[in-house]
């Protein structure tokens, strides 16, 4: 890849047992509205990209932590690859979740 790349801070939101991605809609909305583009509060030029995991929705929460973790890890890797294909590079990663 030639030239500068867009630095991306990937923020991953993960719901808990018996949950679904919609439980994190408000957190996603707030993060997207307030921190997506570089600004006064975020002067280093890093774009925040929010990924609401849907890998463990519905009955997938019954598979256990190991299988659920693997699905989320793959979802994150897929998103990192997508960012790279768009000319960016994930330079920061945050994970937020609730429950087990």
């Amino acid at each position: 890849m030639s030239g500068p790349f867009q630095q991306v801070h990937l923020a991953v939101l993960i719901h808990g047992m018996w949950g679904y991605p919609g439980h994190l809609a408000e957190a996603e909305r707030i993060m997207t509205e307030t921190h997506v583009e570089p600004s006064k509060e975020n002067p280093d030029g890093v774009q925040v990209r929010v990924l609401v995991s849907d890998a463990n929705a519905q009955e997938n929460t019954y598979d256990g932590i190991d299988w659920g973790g693997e699905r989320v890890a793959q979802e994150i890797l897929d998103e990192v690859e997508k960012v790279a294909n768009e000319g960016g590079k994930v330079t920061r990663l945050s994970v937020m979740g609730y429950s087990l």
Side-chain angles (χ1 to χ4, degrees):
M1 178 168 64
S2 62
F5 57 84
Q6 173 65 52
Q7 293 185 62
V8 174
H9 179 164
L10 182 59
V12 183
L13 307 180
I14 306 169
H15 64 77
M17 284 194 70
W18 305 296
Y20 65 99
H23 288 154
L24 295 163
E26 187 64 10
E28 177 187 24
R29 184 191 65 78
I30 291 168
M31 291 177 77
T32 300
E33 287 179 4
T34 59
H35 297 292
V36 170
E37 296 298 328
S39 65
K40 252 187 332 189
E41 295 79 22
N42 180 20
D44 58 2
V46 177
Q47 177 189 16
V48 176
R49 186 163 177 160
V50 181
L51 170 64
V52 179
S53 175
D54 65 356
N56 293 314
Q58 310 282 332
E59 66 277 350
N60 283 339
T61 63
Y62 294 108
D63 288 349
I65 293 171
D66 50 352
W67 287 108
E70 285 191 35
R71 281 191 295 269
V72 171
Q74 186 59 57
E75 195 173 24
I76 292 169
L77 290 172
D78 292 345
E79 190 69 17
V80 169
E81 183 177 339
K82 183 177 177 184
V83 168
N85 289 337
E86 294 170 358
K89 182 176 181 182
V90 174
T91 57
R92 300 176 187 178
L93 175 70
S94 296
V95 178
M96 181 184 84
Y98 70 89
S99 185
L100 177 57

